[in-house]
Amino acid sequence: MISGSKMRLDRLGRALGAFVLALAFCSAMPAWAAFDLPELMTLLAKQKSGEARFTEQRFVHGLEGPLDASGTLSFDAPDKLVRRTLSPRIETMAVEGNTLTLSRGGRNRTLTLDSMPELLGLVEAMRGTLTGDGATLQRYFRSTVTGSAAKWTLDLVPMDSRLAAQVRSMRISGRASDVLGLEMEFVGGDRSVMNISPGAAPAGAGGRTTP
């Protein structure tokens, strides 16, 4: 006859064996179970160009109420990005390659991104996300992806000291291959929140924007 203590030990041994098998099964699960940066970049890279409307609120330390702006965004892979602000005043920022062109009131100014490392990082964050260029993102930021393809969030923390002296963090959110939001926390307490609506440019924007 098997004693009660012997039976308890047998049951405990079977339970431990089942637990070990469960751990082994979990460790053998394929990598696709997690939604990560490479998967997000592959998803985003499928969209080679696009246009969108944006609204932005800038919360500035010391000012009561946000500063509002709105306009259009457009991009063409691999490296062209245009932001055209329609309100509160018309101005355009166009980036292609290493060249930045600013247009306001009929006057243009052309600069190279290399001469402004802090701006280069911000531009590459947007271009890298829109074009699915994970290597560029990882060159400038520590990245964390959460969510799924249906609803994802990409958190970016600057690694470049010059960019980190101005920007604390960036959060880009989206759905599938569409970028829907951009939040930036600046050193000193300022914050920017941009909502993005993919689709054709609104009336008065002149179609696809050019500098």
Side-chain angles (χ1 to χ4, degrees):
M1 181 178 293
I2 301 175
S3 66
S5 60
K6 179 74 162 54
M7 293 178 64
R8 287 194 294 272
L9 286 173
D10 286 344
R11 286 197 295 268
L12 179 60
R14 287 194 295 271
L16 287 173
F19 180 67
V20 170
L21 285 173
L23 286 178
F25 175 77
C26 290
S27 64
M29 289 181 69
W32 50 257
F35 186 69
D36 55 13
L37 183 65
E39 189 171 354
L40 174 59
M41 293 297 102
T42 299
L43 192 64
L44 292 167
K46 294 177 180 178
Q47 190 155 302
K48 301 301 182 183
S49 64
E51 293 183 345
R53 299 179 298 275
F54 77 85
T55 58
E56 182 181 35
Q57 289 188 312
R58 178 74 178 262
F59 299 87
V60 179
H61 184 69
L63 290 184
E64 186 175 344
L67 301 174
D68 296 325
S70 62
T72 65
L73 299 169
S74 68
F75 83 94
D76 288 290
D79 59 11
K80 184 176 181 179
L81 175 65
V82 179
R83 168 181 164 140
R84 180 170 171 79
T85 302
L86 300 175
S87 175
R89 60 178 177 270
I90 296 177
E91 58 185 25
T92 301
M93 181 184 77
V95 181
E96 187 165 10
N98 189 44
T99 302
L100 168 67
T101 302
L102 301 172
S103 303
R104 182 190 300 173
R107 302 177 63 183
N108 296 333
R109 184 184 180 192
T110 300
L111 306 165
T112 60
L113 289 175
D114 287 344
S115 65
M116 299 173 292
E118 64 283 356
L119 181 58
L120 174 61
L122 295 177
V123 169
E124 295 296 23
M126 282 301 296
R127 288 199 298 200
T129 302
L130 290 170
T131 60
D133 186 353
T136 294
L137 284 180
Q138 292 180 304
R139 188 183 312 150
Y140 293 96
F141 301 92
R142 292 193 300 274
S143 60
T144 303
V145 176
T146 55
S148 65
K151 185 179 181 181
W152 52 264
T153 300
L154 173 62
D155 287 303
L156 301 172
V157 177
M159 292 191 297
D160 182 88
S161 59
R162 292 162 296 189
L163 179 57
Q166 298 190 34
V167 178
R168 192 181 305 278
S169 64
M170 301 177 66
R171 169 168 287 185
I172 303 173
S173 56
R175 178 185 62 241
S177 60
D178 289 328
V179 175
L180 302 178
L182 170 63
E183 297 183 31
M184 289 193 290
E185 297 280 350
F186 297 91
V187 174
D190 292 358
R191 185 165 61 96
S192 172
V193 179
M194 178 184 289
N195 293 311
I196 301 171
S197 301
R208 180 174 292 274
T209 57
T210 56

